[in-house]
Amino acid sequence: MAGLDGGRAEVVIDARVDPSGTPVVTVSGELDMSNASSLEATVASITAEGPDRLIFDLSGLRFMDSAGIAVLVSATSKVSVVQLRDPSPVVRRVIELTGLSGVLPIEP
Amino acid sequence: MLIMSSRASVAITTGSRDAAAAGGREALDGAGASSTALSSVWWWRPSRAAAIAFVLGLVVTAALAVTSLVLYNRNEDRLLTLRVRELGLVLTAAVPSIQTPLASAAELADATNGSAQKFRAFMAPYVGPGRQFASASLWPLGRAHPAPTVAVGSAPALASQPDEARLFFARAMRTQLLNVTAVSAAAGPGLGYEFSTPGARHGFAAYAESLLPRDRRSRLESNTAFSDLNYALYLGRSRRSSNLLVTSVRRLPISGRQASDVVPFGNSEFTVVITPNGPLGGGFFASLPWIIAVFGALLAMAAALMTERLARRRQQAEQLAGVLDRVASENRQMYTEQHSIAQTLQRALLPETLPELVGLRVSARYVPATSGIDVGGDWYDVVAADDQQVLLVIGDVSGHGLRAATTMAALRHAALAYATQDRHPATVLAKLSEFVNSGVHDYFATVLCALIDVDAHRLTVASAGHLPPLLIDRDGAAFVTFDVDVAIGVTRDVQYHQTTVSVPPHATLIAFTDGLVERRGELLDVGLERLRHTAVERQLGLDDLLSKITRDLAAEDHRDDTAIVGIQWQA
């Protein structure tokens, strides 16, 4: 919660399954502690089905703070392969600097 | 104690909100009650604006009504003057119809030396009930005592009044016009007309009388052009009642709006006085001033009501705005209180004292997020391992709120405990990782752990996903470069690495959490470079430097908490 007067950041979350059967969660906008819980709920519903692989499409994500990273990281404990698709340099750098490049690899 | 405090703060929140809402309702009800009271005494105490609107409306209405009335009166007067002239013309036009038969009869008598038979035969069609004259008679002129030689119809009233007759015929000798007089016959009042051949002294005068209504009242027939008028007709210029010939009104003299004209009639004159029965210009124009007055008054009243309504609405809006203002300020106050409670809690979780070692200065800052009432997950610790070594731990638990705060507290104390067993940073991080991974969790923490050797000017550092510290010396500022390992709580069995670097004399180490450099839509490196630039700008004392960094980088509106720790070698 960002407080009574700190408005929520805008985030759009879209979950689909690609032709190969892999769930793809597209996150666009800004992901921070004010709205990370909505992504958390989406991820929880997907991981409940026990997929082998999960892809986060971050091409439209402009900002992500540690609360957002925590959601991505928590997915890695439930799905064996979690990959990021097309993260912006800003997001990519956050992941690098937190030492998570190995945990959250970019889709080859 | 933490949980208790948090619950208390939540209880304060809901309690205060309800109280504020109730206060708002009460105030609104209060406004409603006062408006009810206002409407019940409205007729006695309208607002000033409404009174002004009403008075203005009435003034304008009165001006319009008076103007309309003046115009109407002028118009009526003009029309009445026109009508009296018309009536005069009609009367004048009647002269020939009387004069012609009399003139012919007089000439006939002159020619026939006063033949009674011829006179009778000639005048008979003009005389009788419903005809022009009541009587007609032939009078020889030049006699001391005038008397008719022949009469048709009733006996002439003039014949029984010798004195009047003498005067009348004496006057007849002097005029060449139709000679007119008033007579009073047995049958009632009448008019006598005489005509004789002009200049004849010994000829004959033809004389006729017509009767007036006995009470001298006669209404104009409703189909005539003058039916919309009442009138009084006098013989001569005087309006004495003795001169009255005929009138259509009961009471004389005529009062009110009137017009009169003097009309020559033979050798005499008629005075015509008329007054309108009703408005000559039409009923609409007569009622126009009243219509204007009534509508104007209604409009003025409507305007006053409308103004009153607006004034009351404004008053209510102002009252409501006042109430909302109060609620908003209460909310602000509540929010400020909660924010400060959160800050107090945060500070309670941070170290109260920092170690003091010979040759080393230690200082720290904690800047809470400018918005938000939650407790952040940032923490730091600086503890003396021995006389020569200091262990620095700085970390950031993802998220905010109670869970982040309790996790932070747990990690903080665990780190301190592990440090007493083995002060190597990589070992501390590894143990922390084990500690976190033993439970179920959905958070992670970035932790930087650094062992500082004061005399040896050495720094051993390990990072679990945390941003590197900045090292400032006389040559400039640079981030310490080393391998960053994965954040705590992400994966099991992580091998943490530590790097040892040597520190130049009088160097300053700045460790911080990401709130200091992280900005939306900006590469982290840009924020890091901004920090480096700010820190190297001038050589300052440690406290001044931290204050400057805090002021320049954390003062703007930021959503994340920020912790900064500075360590400065004194040699």
Side-chain angles (χ1 to χ4, degrees), chain B residues 86-101:
Chain B
E86 280 173 28
L87 195 55
L89 286 176
V90 169
L91 282 173
T92 310
V95 173
S97 69
I98 296 166
Q99 186 173 323
T100 306

Side-chain angles (χ1 to χ4, degrees), chain B residues 419-432:
Chain B
T420 56
Q421 296 166 9
D422 187 332
R423 61 184 71 162
H424 289 101
T427 314
V428 173
L429 291 186
K431 286 182 175 174
L432 267 185

Side-chain angles (χ1 to χ4, degrees), chain B residues 10 18 20 42-43 51 62 74 103 114 161 253 277 337 358 410 438 564:
Chain B
V10 169
D18 285 352
W42 191 87
W43 292 107
R74 244 183 237 171
Q161 297 160 340
N277 258 337
E337 277 168 14
V358 178
S438 60
I564 313 171

Side-chain angles (χ1 to χ4, degrees), chain B residues 7-83:
Chain B
R7 274 188 189 155
S9 95
V10 169
I12 288 165
T13 310
T14 39
S16 310
R17 271 187 191 155
D18 285 352
R25 272 197 302 277
E26 194 179 300
L28 286 172
D29 289 348
S34 73
S35 76
T36 313
L38 217 118
S39 64
S40 69
V41 297
W42 191 87
W43 292 107
W44 308 107
R45 291 192 57 191
S47 75
R48 192 198 240 178
I52 289 173
F54 186 57
V55 169
L56 271 180
L58 284 187
V59 166
V60 170
T61 301
L64 284 175
V66 165
T67 308
S68 161
L69 192 65
V70 166
L71 286 175
Y72 166 72
N73 282 335
R74 244 183 237 171
N75 192 44
E76 288 291 295
D77 287 344
R78 202 173 54 81
L79 285 175
L80 201 60
T81 308
L82 288 176
R83 300 304 294 279

Side-chain angles (χ1 to χ4, degrees), chain A residues 1-10 30-34 40 62-71 73-74 76-78 88-91 93-101 103, chain B residues 17 331 335 338 370-374 396-400 403 441-444 446 463-468 484-487 489-491 514 518-525 528 559-560:
Chain A
M1 176 170 160
L4 289 177
D5 60 351
R8 290 169 69 92
E10 292 294 324
E30 296 183 353
L31 182 66
D32 66 10
M33 67 187 79
S34 73
E40 205 170 351
R62 297 188 302 274
F63 175 82
M64 177 167 67
D65 75 352
S66 57
I69 297 174
V71 179
V73 165
S74 70
T76 64
S77 63
K78 291 157 195 154
S88 70
V90 173
V91 172
R93 192 71 179 118
V94 171
I95 289 164
E96 276 170 21
L97 284 170
T98 45
L100 294 169
S101 304
V103 183
Chain B
R17 271 187 191 155
N331 277 346
Y335 171 70
Q338 286 170 15
T370 49
S371 59
I373 56 170
D374 274 341
D396 182 0
V397 178
S398 65
H400 248 201
R403 198 178 57 181
H441 60 89
D442 52 3
Y443 61 86
F444 74 98
T446 67
S463 171
H466 201 88
L467 293 170
V484 176
D485 293 309
V486 72
V490 176
T491 49
D514 58 3
E518 200 173 59
R519 296 288 179 273
R520 270 152 213 269
E522 182 186 276
L523 212 59
L524 255 177
D525 301 80
L528 290 171
R559 296 194 189 184
D560 207 358

